[in-house]
Amino acid sequence: GSFDLAVYNIHIYTLLQLADDAGRLSITTVQCSANVGDVNIHFHGGASIFFKPFVSGFSEKISDTIHEKICPAIQKAIIGLETTLQEIPVNIPVDQYISLSIPLTSSPAVTEQSFELDIKGEFYSRSSPSEPPFSASVFEVPYAENYMLSVAASEFLVNSAAYAFLSSGALQINITDGMIPKSFPIHLNTSQFGAFVPQLRTLYPNMEMQVLLYASETPLFSFSSGVIDIHVPAAAKFSAVKPDCTLVPLFRLDVDGSFSASARIDQNLTGAFQMKNLTLTLGSSEIGDFKTDTLEQMAVMAVKMFVLPKINAALKAGFPLPTLKGFRLINSQLLIKNGFVAIFTDVQDSLTGL
């Protein structure tokens, strides 16, 4: 035969404690109680006629067994979750240059509406970790009751990444003539640069040139309502390349650039970049003084014609939002406010769609 089993009115009460354990989220069970209201069993066919007189005994036994196993099962699940939480690193290597530190700064705040985590969020150079010459500012994330998850990051987080890359020596590049697009009107040789720096044609005729472009100070990001501003202080050291490939220092140009960016979330995180201002000044010279006005115009043209289109093409395609394994973010919204950027989103199970 067969039987149908129905369990009614299961009540579970559990009290969990969330805490900060050496920068990691910790969870423990403080109290658990459970109650099973009623169990009904109906037998059908076969030898069910012999079991029906014992239904009440079966029901009571099943009810007691369920009651006994609920809290131990919850406790086991919480212990497993705690083990997983303690295995989450608070220092995460990002690449060969930097790592991300994400320890809790305080115990979680639990309210009737939400549960909040305050995390330090700072990037460090892996080769020479140190604190940046700027500090984080306090900011308040607006509560979004229509979304499951709100994540916010201050401009300090982004700027600490820039400082970490700078400290690691990653914000520099050697530019050779082979890297210049053929369609660009000026190439890295003393013959063409002699039109802007007359001394080159006399001192170093018909020689290839090389440029070391590097950030002279930390590039800084600032967030305001709907806009991201970026200030990039840089320098470019120009050298002549001798036939034996040794370099002859020529001059250094100091670069001051300011840019603005916008960002939004479609399916990916997308954005657009534009230049606000770019100036060149002669920082030092081994070949004497010269005017930089024409070079500045060429640099502005190069950024507008070649650099920004490549950046904006990548930003238009976008980047996928980071997610937890097995989940994806849906209905996401990006908000840029003074001093911070926030993402409000719902979370969906990748397999079930729930």
Side-chain angles (χ1 to χ4, degrees):
S2 62
F3 68 90
D4 298 326
L5 172 67
V7 182
Y8 298 97
N9 299 325
I10 298 178
H11 296 277
I12 303 172
Y13 173 82
T14 181
L15 181 63
L16 304 177
Q17 179 175 335
L18 301 172
D20 173 9
D21 182 6
R24 291 179 174 85
L25 178 63
S26 174
I27 183 169
T28 54
T29 305
V30 177
Q31 183 180 347
C32 179
S33 62
N35 180 58
V36 179
D38 192 17
V39 174
N40 287 338
I41 306 175
H42 295 283
F43 291 93
H44 309 282
S48 62
I49 190 172
F50 298 109
F51 295 106
K52 287 181 179 179
F54 307 102
V55 165
S56 60
F58 288 156
S59 299
E60 185 177 351
K61 179 63 176 177
I62 292 172
S63 177
D64 292 343
T65 301
I66 293 174
H67 178 265
E68 291 171 1
K69 292 184 178 294
I70 288 176
C71 282
I74 291 175
Q75 177 68 14
K76 182 179 179 181
I78 296 301
I79 291 174
L81 177 58
E82 169 66 7
T83 301
T84 300
L85 290 173
Q86 294 308 305
E87 291 173 351
I88 297 176
V90 294
N91 292 294
I92 305 170
V94 176
D95 58 18
Q96 60 180 318
Y97 298 110
I98 66 172
S99 61
L100 173 62
S101 176
I102 51 169
L104 292 175
T105 58
S106 61
S107 293
V110 181
T111 69
E112 291 183 356
Q113 295 178 314
S114 65
F115 140 65
E116 300 176 6
L117 294 176
D118 287 332
I119 298 172
K120 180 182 179 183
E122 183 174 358
F123 289 91
Y124 288 96
S125 165
R126 297 182 67 178
S127 58
S128 53
S130 61
E131 293 295 328
F134 46 82
S135 57
S137 300
V138 176
F139 66 97
E140 288 291 333
V141 183
Y143 176 68
E145 63 180 355
N146 295 324
Y147 292 94
M148 296 170 63
L149 177 66
S150 303
V151 180
S154 72
E155 57 194 22
F156 174 82
L157 175 69
V158 182
N159 289 331
S160 72
Y163 177 75
F165 275 122
L166 180 70
S167 301
S168 299
L171 298 184
Q172 59 180 342
I173 183 174
N174 278 305
I175 303 174
T176 62
D177 188 60
M179 301 166 65
I180 306 296
K182 292 183 178 180
S183 58
F184 194 67
I186 299 298
H187 283 261
L188 283 176
N189 58 68
T190 56
S191 299
Q192 293 196 22
F193 258 78
F196 314 111
V197 188
Q199 303 94 306
L200 289 177
R201 289 175 173 170
T202 304
L203 297 173
Y204 303 101
N206 302 316
M207 295 179 65
E208 294 290 323
M209 295 173 64
Q210 183 173 300
V211 182
L212 173 62
L213 179 64
Y214 60 95
S216 54
E217 297 178 21
T218 305
L220 291 178
F221 293 72
S222 61
F223 300 145
S224 56
S225 184
V227 179
I228 304 171
D229 290 311
I230 307 104
H231 177 230
V232 183
K237 289 184 177 180
F238 288 76
S239 301
V241 184
K242 287 185 174 182
D244 62 359
C245 295
T246 57
L247 300 179
V248 180
L250 299 175
F251 54 88
R252 187 192 80 236
L253 295 178
D254 292 331
V255 185
D256 190 85
S258 58
F259 303 85
S260 66
S262 60
R264 65 176 186 173
I265 296 177
D266 297 320
Q267 291 184 342
N268 290 337
L269 177 62
T270 62
F273 216 75
Q274 64 180 6
M275 181 172 62
K276 297 170 64 177
N277 188 46
L278 184 71
T279 59
L280 296 183
T281 55
L282 183 61
S284 63
S285 175
E286 283 74 24
I287 58 174
D289 292 341
F290 57 89
K291 293 184 178 180
T292 61
D293 297 352
T294 308
L295 283 174
E296 182 178 298
Q297 294 173 6
M298 296 300 296
V300 170
M301 183 172 66
V303 171
K304 288 184 176 180
M305 291 180 59
F306 299 103
V307 178
L308 288 181
K310 288 187 176 181
I311 293 176
N312 284 326
L315 291 176
K316 184 178 180 180
F319 305 92
L321 294 172
T323 58
L324 296 173
K325 184 177 180 180
F327 295 90
R328 63 178 179 176
L329 305 183
I330 59 171
N331 306 324
S332 303
Q333 178 186 354
L334 181 73
L335 179 69
I336 302 173
K337 300 294 285 183
N338 291 335
F340 71 93
V341 59
I343 294 176
F344 306 106
T345 185
D346 292 327
V347 183
Q348 186 178 68
D349 188 295
S350 300
L351 295 178
T352 65
L354 299 177

